[in-house]
Amino acid sequence: MKKEIVKRKPGKAKELLLKNVTRNNLEKKIREQSDELATRSGQLKRGADREKLGADRERVSENKILKQKKELNSRSGQLKEGADREKLAEEQIHIRTKAMESTFDGIFVIDAKQSDYPIIYANPSFLHLTGYSKNEVIGKNYFLLYGSDADLRIYEEIKQTLLQGRSFHGEMMHFKKNGEKFWSLLRITLVRDKNGIVTHYVGNKTDTTLMKQRDSEIKEQREELLHVTRVGKLAEFVSSLAHEISQPLTAILSYAQAAQRMLKDREPQLQEILQYIINDDQRASEVIRRLRYLLKKTKPAFESISINSLINDTTTLIMPDIAARDKAIKFDFITNPPSIMGDRIQLQQVLLNLISNSLEAMEGSKLSHEMLIRTSLKDNETILVQVRDTGCGIPEENMKKLFTHFFTSKPDGLGMGLSISRSIVEAHGGRLDAENNPDRGATFYFTLPIIKKDKK
């Protein structure tokens, strides 16, 4: 087949060429724009990817920060909770320490791992109770704090109880640093570790000295009450007895006076003996009469008395007893003493009691032989009477209660003599007291007011 040759006109070829060039340029421009658009699209895509990546990274960072914040808050809470627990523990330790420091009971802690029982803690009450300072206690053996006078058997019992793994509880007497005695209720408990091994001994010491004293006072008061009851019955008996004795004394007086009349102007020695009987009978009757008045609580019969004469009359009554005991009595009287106002029988009762006590104090000792009775002026208004012996003296622990009701150091004593004597002296406006002599023995002394003379 033959190709058909088309013959174009020159103008149309040029136009076609121009169209081709234009189309090529346009296609090229389109391609360039497409490439540029593709490039820009890629850039935008990469930018978006980067932005997305940044956003993802930012989200990861935010999540990480949030997680770290949560973890930090959690750890902060834990730290705060731990700090709070530590603070609470410190407060509890402080409260326990303050409680131990402020309690009235003596608290101490012993290291049980050491064989010499060293004290590792002692509160102020324990130091005050024992009289030691802190430096004298810490590290020292607990059982050596109470001196050589302590009962070692008790402390050995405490040791054995603790070594057997048992607590101790008991009341006992201790000694302070200065030797003063005190009673305490002692409780020692054991502290064990998690393995059950004893590591410490905790002791609690309660001072019971005051309670002991009160118990003793209550016991004494109970005994005094019983004694008062017995004395009351005894007073009734004495009153009845005095009445019964008065009758035979009256009969003896009548017989002696009748014999004296029958032997008038004869047998002078017999007359003298009869007169002694009459005088002693009358004196005994007077004593019984005053005793009955005393039991009936009648007022004493006060009169003007010479103290020297009163002492002479009183010692005459007791002179046979003095001679029987192989003792001697000396006098040191003031010359011409002023008179006193008092009841003769009651004051004789005081003197007889003091002299009898002195004789008993000198009993059983050959070195104690003499007694001295002295009168003197204490001042311009008072006479002083002293009864001084060379006996055993008065124990210091008895000095304060010497004149209390029913106190006596004698096995068969009533404990009434000195108490009644002080009451009599005080009723006369004076004072009765006692003291130990510098060398040996004791001196009882009392004062009495003298009769004041009216100034003209």
Side-chain angles (χ1 to χ4, degrees), residues 196-309:
I197 298 175
V198 178
T199 60
H200 298 87
Y201 302 126
V202 178
N204 186 296
K205 192 184 293 292
T206 304
D207 189 357
T208 58
T209 305
L210 185 59
M211 288 187 288
K212 278 284 185 181
Q213 292 175 350
R214 288 178 177 174
D215 288 343
S216 179
E217 290 174 359
I218 292 173
K219 183 179 179 181
E220 289 179 1
Q221 290 173 358
R222 188 182 299 112
E223 292 177 352
E224 286 183 7
L225 183 60
L226 294 174
H227 206 153
V228 166
T229 303
R230 292 195 298 269
V231 170
K233 294 179 180 179
L234 179 62
E236 296 177 3
F237 172 74
V238 169
S239 179
S240 175
L241 183 63
H243 176 73
E244 296 297 329
I245 292 176
S246 297
Q247 295 180 359
L249 284 176
T250 302
I252 292 172
L253 178 61
S254 300
Y255 293 144
Q257 290 174 340
Q260 198 175 43
R261 288 193 297 271
M262 291 174 60
L263 297 173
K264 188 176 180 180
D265 299 330
R266 291 184 299 164
E267 302 292 341
Q269 292 182 345
L270 215 66
Q271 287 278 3
E272 185 178 1
I273 293 173
L274 290 172
Q275 188 60 47
Y276 285 151
I277 294 174
I278 292 171
N279 293 340
D280 288 341
D281 185 282
Q282 291 175 337
R283 190 184 303 275
S285 298
E286 184 65 16
V287 169
I288 290 174
R289 185 177 68 85
R290 293 297 175 87
L291 179 60
R292 293 180 68 182
Y293 286 159
L294 181 64
L295 293 173
K296 291 180 180 179
K297 297 182 180 180
T298 55
K299 294 182 179 180
F302 279 70
E303 58 182 326
S304 177
I305 300 172
S306 170
I307 191 66
N308 292 350
S309 299

Side-chain angles (χ1 to χ4, degrees), residues 443-454:
T443 298
F444 285 83
Y445 56 93
F446 63 91
T447 58
L448 293 170
I450 62 177
I451 298 176
K452 296 181 180 180
K453 296 182 178 179
D454 296 333

Side-chain angles (χ1 to χ4, degrees), residues 15 22 25 34 55 57 72 79 98 129 133 136 150 183 205 224 226 228 244 251 272 274-275 409-410 412 418 445 448:
E15 182 179 356
T22 302
N25 288 338
S34 297
R57 287 177 178 176
L72 181 61
L79 290 174
K98 281 295 183 182
L129 186 61
S133 66
E136 293 174 320
W183 283 88
K205 192 184 293 292
E224 286 183 7
L226 294 174
V228 166
E244 296 297 329
E272 185 178 1
L274 290 172
Q275 188 60 47
S409 58
K410 307 170 188 176
D412 55 348
L418 289 176
Y445 56 93
L448 293 170

